[in-house]
Amino acid sequence: MPSRVLVAMSGGVDSSVAAALLARDGYDVIGVTFNQWPAELMARATGNGCCTPDTIDDARRVCAILGVPHYVIDYRREFEAAVIDPWITSYLNGQTPNPCVMCNRTVRFGSFLTRANELGADFIATGHYARIKTDETSGRRRLFTARDPGKDQSYVLHVLGQRQLARTLFPLGDLTKRQVRRLAAEFGLPVALKADSQEICFVPDNDHAGYVRAHGTTGPGDIVDTAGRLVGHHDGLEAFTPGQRRGLNLGGGSARRYVVELDPETNRLTVGSRDESGARQIVVRDVHWVADAPPVAPCSVGVRTRYRMPLEDATLVIAPDGVTLEFGDPTWAPAPGQSAVFYAGDEVLGGGTIAAVTAR
């Protein structure tokens, strides 16, 4: 009897090809699309945003072509409680959260895996670009970057552990995007040329601050330089993140200024030069290890402090309340609330949430 796999289908080309490859390889495929948008957003959903009415219909059409069943599962309550509400709260606390990490931790590889158990599925699968390998000696699952570095999504998958990896398939891990689109055409899928979504799924117009302000704001406050001198005013911290240059409205001047720090206690924004935005040491908390255990530390690791940023060399030190990362060269504009993900070569060791900059 073939292994049953639930494939998370967003209606895009990646998840569609993942389902097609698994069906071709003899798996008992069931396509599942998440209905996770609040009702007020569905009315103005446009474009290629994940799980809109149009993309749900695209996933249904793909499943019909593949001859596999398709279901829509209502995750609106879980998604709002586990992703949207904490995301808003984090912005109002002067942080910059990554909603994809939050979704992967709680919904895509949490609630979805529970549903797979209820339906008697052996695996879940997604269209993520990453690779899973099994250590022949220990039997542990190991998470690696994708073969295509331009599409690698291992950063947002660092929250996965042994329980999830043992039950997860990433059919696209060894493929390039060009190969995926070619396969979609060969399979006769109507989404072969569909553009990739570049936005946060529940913020279809990509206006982060506007979305947060529909629910709350920190209100106006001061903008100061790194010497504490008043240089301007802002309308709310939720519109800013470390490293940001646009939108400061500080008038003319020869030197470019960047956001260095947000202080939610004083509602104050600190700006400075690009060099002043760097950090030599940061503290990371809520750390998760893919192997379910930390490496022997201190140790040298590659670190990515934002999605798509290049890896930077650092020394990882285990601290009582998390991890301290000491960079050889200052890392640029680390943002509390974002994830710092640790790598050994192309293997993901784990990661956690940036809590503070402790040395510049």
Side-chain angles (χ1 to χ4, degrees):
M1 186 174 181
S3 297
R4 174 172 291 178
V5 55
L6 265 59
V7 184
M9 300 187 67
S10 66
V13 63
D14 295 329
S15 58
S16 297
V17 170
L21 290 172
L22 292 168
R24 182 199 66 183
D25 291 344
Y27 286 88
D28 175 14
V29 172
I30 298 175
V32 175
T33 301
F34 301 169
N35 179 9
Q36 59 193 34
W37 279 36
E40 67 271 14
L41 286 180
M42 294 296 279
R44 60 187 181 92
T46 59
N48 297 316
C50 175
C51 308
T52 67
D54 287 345
T55 58
I56 290 173
D57 190 53
D58 285 339
R60 184 179 293 115
R61 291 166 60 205
V62 167
C63 286
I65 291 170
L66 298 178
V68 304
H70 174 260
Y71 299 97
V72 177
I73 299 180
D74 189 346
Y75 280 139
R76 285 176 294 180
R77 182 177 300 175
E78 291 93 334
F79 189 75
E80 188 163 4
V83 180
I84 296 179
D85 290 347
W87 184 84
I88 292 170
T89 299
S90 292
Y91 262 102
L92 293 175
N93 287 330
Q95 299 175 335
T96 309
N98 187 307
C100 294
V101 171
M102 301 158 78
C103 179
N104 285 338
R105 179 188 293 115
T106 58
V107 179
R108 203 161 292 268
F109 296 91
S111 300
F112 188 44
L113 188 56
T114 299
R115 186 58 60 93
N117 293 334
E118 296 170 353
L119 296 176
D122 302 285
F123 300 101
I124 61 173
T126 72
H128 283 102
Y129 287 82
R131 295 175 293 160
I132 300 170
K133 300 179 183 180
T134 302
D135 188 283
E136 295 181 359
T137 302
S138 67
R140 286 188 176 275
R141 268 63 175 189
R142 302 167 66 187
L143 180 63
F144 291 83
T145 59
R147 188 74 66 185
D148 183 348
K151 295 300 297 181
D152 174 57
Q153 292 172 294
S154 62
Y155 174 89
V156 297
L157 298 169
H158 74 271
V159 292
L160 303 186
Q162 293 300 299
R163 182 178 67 88
Q164 293 93 343
L165 292 176
R167 301 279 302 282
T168 299
L169 303 174
F170 293 139
L172 308 188
D174 284 309
L175 300 175
T176 65
K177 185 71 177 197
R178 180 175 296 182
Q179 290 173 318
V180 167
R181 290 200 181 277
R182 185 170 67 242
L183 283 168
E186 292 174 0
F187 283 122
L189 305 182
V191 295
L193 299 178
K194 187 175 181 179
D196 292 340
S197 174
Q198 301 294 328
E199 58 201 19
I200 293 177
C201 68
F202 57 91
V203 188
D205 53 9
N206 219 27
D207 180 8
H208 302 181
Y211 188 91
V212 174
R213 285 171 176 167
H215 300 81
T217 178
T218 70
D222 294 337
I223 302 178
V224 300
D225 63 18
T226 52
R229 295 180 293 249
L230 181 68
V231 295
H233 303 279
H234 66 80
D235 293 327
L237 292 181
E238 64 276 358
F240 301 95
T241 186
Q244 182 174 331
R245 181 170 65 87
R246 299 184 184 278
L248 292 171
N249 298 321
L250 297 179
S254 58
R256 290 182 173 180
R257 285 184 279 198
Y258 300 80
V259 175
V260 173
E261 185 179 12
L262 294 79
D263 186 345
E265 292 187 6
T266 62
N267 198 26
R268 189 171 65 179
L269 193 69
T270 300
V271 298
S273 68
R274 184 179 177 88
D275 288 344
E276 288 174 316
S277 299
R280 291 190 176 276
Q281 185 180 88
I282 62 175
V283 172
V284 181
R285 298 199 174 110
D286 299 324
V287 176
H288 168 81
W289 303 105
V290 173
D292 292 340
V296 177
C299 60
S300 296
V301 294
V303 179
R304 185 166 283 130
T305 54
R306 296 196 192 199
Y307 192 39
R308 301 296 186 200
M309 280 189 68
L311 288 176
E312 300 174 281
D313 294 331
T315 299
L316 183 151
V317 179
I318 304 293
D321 58 348
V323 158
T324 296
L325 293 172
E326 301 171 355
F327 294 88
D329 295 317
T331 183
W332 184 66
Q338 275 285 355
S339 294
V341 180
F342 324 132
Y343 293 79
D346 59 353
E347 181 176 5
V348 182
L349 301 179
T353 304
I354 299 172
V357 172
T358 48
R360 294 194 185 275

